[in-house]
Amino acid sequence: FFFFFNQLQKDLEEVKELLTKATRKRVRDVLVAEKHKLELEIKNQPLPKPKDVAEEEKSSLGGYTVKINNYGWDQSDKFVKIYISLNGVQKLPAENVQVNFTERSFDLLVKNLNGKNYTMTFNNLLKPISVEGSSRKIKTDMVLVMCKKKREEKWDCLTQVEKESKEKEKAAYDTADPSEGLMNILKKMYAEGDDEMKRTINKAWVESREKQYKGDIPMDI
């Protein structure tokens, strides 16, 4: 991390130095754009913690850590809101509920709740968020994470991974051959269905094949 951070700082210093020497407008424009890009990248890097502080924080956790997988979410024009249920969280000191934001991620740490620590991490958020405008609220048996949208637009899902997963699934059914698309849907229903659903699909399939063999299915003339 320190090596990467130092490299960014050195790149920025060199770009600034080149800017003082550049005279051509086109060259200056390129250098200014690169300067802004580097400054933004440095700003979004998490600040390194002194070793003693990191060790002290680690030792203060105690107990064991539970990864949170269950949550609910919705959105308004300005915020994406993630709801995490945690019984008794409102009884903790406020500093025991920490959320760190970057432009495309956040991680939650709840310390010493009934002798356990709870964590949740979201990487690769679907769209950029404002670090300064984002926050968390502690409610009865719940933590609400408020991610401030950089642009007021609708999010179809929370992360880039979810979006890619949905697109792959959609592509599997959007085939050129409608019958192939139907077969994919039936296969999915069969794989995810209970025994009753599987019996129903099997019966319909057998009856369909029998009709084809008997020539009962009418043909267009």
Side-chain angles (χ1 to χ4, degrees), residues 109-128:
L109 170 62
V110 179
K111 296 193 286 186
N112 198 21
L113 176 60
N114 301 321
K116 301 174 188 174
N117 308 304
Y118 293 84
T119 65
M120 169 178 269
T121 300
F122 272 92
N123 292 315
N124 299 313
L125 290 171
L126 185 66
K127 299 177 188 292

Side-chain angles (χ1 to χ4, degrees), residues 143-155:
V143 177
L144 171 58
V145 178
M146 306 274 291
C147 296
K148 175 76 181 294
K149 296 177 178 178
K150 276 212 166 177
R151 291 185 296 276
E152 295 185 13
E153 55 186 334
K154 184 182 176 185
W155 289 28

Side-chain angles (χ1 to χ4, degrees), residues 102 104-107 121-126 158-161:
T102 73
R104 294 296 286 266
S105 73
F106 74 84
D107 63 86
T121 300
F122 272 92
N123 292 315
N124 299 313
L125 290 171
L126 185 66
L158 272 180
T159 65
Q160 192 67 31
V161 174

Side-chain angles (χ1 to χ4, degrees), residues 151-194:
R151 291 185 296 276
E152 295 185 13
E153 55 186 334
K154 184 182 176 185
W155 289 28
D156 296 325
C157 48
L158 272 180
T159 65
Q160 192 67 31
V161 174
E162 285 180 57
K163 181 187 177 186
E164 289 168 5
S165 176
K166 283 183 179 180
E167 286 174 350
K168 282 180 185 176
E169 192 170 308
K170 184 174 183 293
Y173 301 130
D174 290 351
T175 59
D177 183 352
S179 64
E180 188 179 337
L182 178 60
M183 282 304 300
N184 285 333
I185 292 170
L186 285 172
K187 284 176 185 176
K188 181 174 169 62
M189 288 172 64
Y190 188 87
E192 296 177 358
D194 55 18

Side-chain angles (χ1 to χ4, degrees), residues 1-6 8-9 41-55 57 100:
F1 169 79
F2 288 108
F3 176 76
F4 181 64
F5 191 79
N6 287 338
L8 287 176
Q9 291 281 13
E41 205 168 338
I42 289 170
K43 181 183 174 186
N44 287 331
Q45 289 295 315
L47 291 173
K49 294 179 182 177
K51 189 176 179 183
D52 56 341
V53 174
E55 289 298 321
E57 187 174 288
N100 293 315

Side-chain angles (χ1 to χ4, degrees), residues 66-96:
V66 179
K67 189 173 180 181
I68 303 169
N69 293 312
N70 296 323
Y71 63 90
W73 76 285
D74 65 9
Q75 61 185 307
S76 63
D77 289 339
K78 295 183 178 180
F79 287 92
V80 170
K81 306 169 189 177
I82 297 92
Y83 301 87
I84 301 111
S85 296
L86 288 167
N87 288 334
V89 70
Q90 73 279 6
K91 298 172 186 174
L92 290 175
E95 61 267 21
N96 280 33

